[in-house]
Amino acid sequence: MIYSLVMEERNKHCKKIKTNHLIVLCEVGENYKSFCDDLEELIKSKSNRYLVNKVYRVMQGKSTISSNKYKEFVEKHKHTIEIMNKYSCLSNLTVLSYDEKGKRRENLAEDYFYQYIQEHNEDIETIKALALKIKALGFNEINFGEKLDFTEVEYELDTLCGNQNYFAFLENMEVNPTYLNNPIKYRTNGSCYCLILETDGFGFGFGFNREIGKYNRNIELNSLIFDPNKLPNEITTKSTIGIIQELAEKKKGEHEDIHASVDLSITTSDLAGYFERLKEISERIDKIKDNPELKNLLNQMQNTLTQLQLFGVNFENQIIDSHAGITDKTMKKEKKLYLDRRYQSNDIIH
């Protein structure tokens, strides 16, 4: 799976915000709008003067206050400025949020999330706690879209990859039984989040060392109001990859049954193909095509082949009936994937 493509498609429906910015919005609360309105009034200019830069230096204490209106602004919003500085957001929420004439830029993420927080003011502590945990887990940015449905995608974990690999970690994961044991394929029955993580190292399993990268971590949320304890308490190989591998181990019996059934079905199908080719060849050879002995042998082979095919169908039905996670659709899909892989490797019947 190419997670960059999945993320690109999902991001069309997302609003992005720096994690620190969301925390600031929660801590500042309603004072944020007052701060923005007062700042815009303070830096209005008909010419391209970028007064916001001057006010920013004053808020940082790097410029002597020469104007009463600047002094009054800083005093009034001292607490808000302190919080923005605490989370290293002051520049982004001031200098980068206004143009050279002091007009607030349009479609800022902070405005969207501020409005969201005001509409869910009773849950502001939950939103803040969630943002703080996300920050602690090493995610510097949040992708949020209330319409994101993480159940629509089949995710993959490649356990035999090269130096780098991405994988998803979600709530309520369930491994899909497949013919191959790698990559592990899985879905979620419902999740408020999807973590896209990158691995470093040279492989998984015994004798290999693979760690979760500290950078390039992405988190997608379809809610900002859920128990932060639903997120993992730490991002480690054991707490992410280890859990997926444990789920896969529980599906080992189903994997082995699918493997056996697909092998039997494909091999029987191959045998049928060879048999048809044998009949075509025998019918082209004038000296043997009407030979009674040959006809008798071919009839015996046809009957045996029919019995083998019936045996294979019954075997497949037994497996489907034995496992709730295996359906007729599963078997058809795995047989098609098997044939596609064989075709791609040129291992086909001629």
Side-chain angles (χ1 to χ4, degrees), residues 31-241:
N31 290 332
Y32 179 71
K33 187 175 188 307
S34 172
F35 172 85
C36 294
D37 291 344
D38 289 350
L39 179 58
E40 186 168 6
E41 185 65 29
L42 189 64
I43 61 177
K44 278 183 179 179
S45 171
K46 293 183 179 180
S47 58
N48 301 338
R49 298 178 62 189
Y50 270 117
L51 293 178
V52 66
N53 288 325
K54 183 176 181 180
V55 180
Y56 171 67
R57 290 193 298 272
V58 171
M59 286 187 286
Q60 280 191 310
K62 294 182 178 180
S63 177
T64 303
I65 300 176
S66 58
S67 170
N68 286 334
K69 61 180 182 179
Y70 284 9
K71 183 177 182 180
E72 290 172 0
F73 172 81
V74 171
E75 282 298 317
K76 178 180 178 180
H77 298 289
K78 181 179 179 180
H79 180 62
T80 297
I81 294 169
E82 287 176 349
I83 293 173
M84 290 181 178
N85 273 322
K86 175 183 176 182
Y87 292 101
S88 304
C89 299
L90 186 60
S91 175
N92 285 348
L93 297 178
T94 55
V95 176
L96 300 184
S97 297
Y98 297 85
D99 64 19
E100 65 275 12
K101 293 184 179 180
K103 184 177 180 181
R104 189 165 177 80
R105 300 187 189 279
E106 296 181 353
N107 300 318
L108 292 174
E110 290 72 25
D111 292 344
Y112 170 85
F113 284 93
Y114 171 77
Q115 185 62 38
Y116 180 93
I117 290 171
Q118 293 308 301
E119 292 172 359
H120 300 84
N121 193 54
E122 69 279 7
D123 298 304
I124 192 168
E125 290 303 319
T126 299
I127 298 172
K128 178 183 173 182
L130 181 63
L132 286 169
K133 183 160 187 180
I134 289 170
K135 174 182 171 68
L137 290 174
F139 297 94
N140 298 319
E141 187 174 68
I142 294 170
N143 298 289
F144 173 62
E146 292 183 279
K147 294 184 179 180
L148 289 178
D149 184 357
F150 303 124
T151 67
E152 296 177 335
V153 177
E154 182 178 62
Y155 304 91
E156 295 182 2
L157 172 64
D158 187 349
T159 61
L160 299 174
C161 61
N163 291 335
Q164 291 186 320
N165 183 41
Y166 288 91
F167 71 98
F169 186 84
L170 313 95
E171 294 180 85
N172 304 314
M173 293 180 294
E174 185 174 289
V175 167
N176 298 334
T178 55
Y179 177 87
L180 297 176
N181 58 17
N182 181 69
I184 298 171
K185 297 186 178 183
Y186 55 102
R187 290 183 176 274
T188 173
N189 294 323
S191 183
C192 294
Y193 63 83
C194 178
L195 313 183
I196 305 296
L197 304 170
E198 182 181 23
T199 59
D200 299 320
F202 301 97
F204 298 126
F206 182 77
F208 293 95
N209 179 25
R210 182 165 286 274
E211 299 293 336
I212 307 300
K214 294 182 179 180
Y215 308 103
N216 298 323
R217 295 182 177 184
N218 287 279
I219 183 169
E220 300 169 337
L221 304 176
N222 55 28
S223 173
L224 292 177
I225 306 170
F226 66 89
D227 186 352
N229 289 325
K230 289 185 175 183
L231 288 164
N233 290 324
E234 57 181 354
I235 303 295
T236 64
T237 303
K238 183 178 180 180
S239 69
T240 55
I241 292 172

Side-chain angles (χ1 to χ4, degrees), residues 5-22:
L5 297 179
V6 174
M7 292 165 60
E8 182 179 347
E9 181 61 30
R10 283 180 179 166
N11 285 345
K12 295 177 182 177
H13 310 287
C14 286
K15 291 287 186 178
K16 297 183 180 181
I17 187 170
K18 298 291 185 182
T19 309
N20 276 349
H21 292 194
L22 183 58

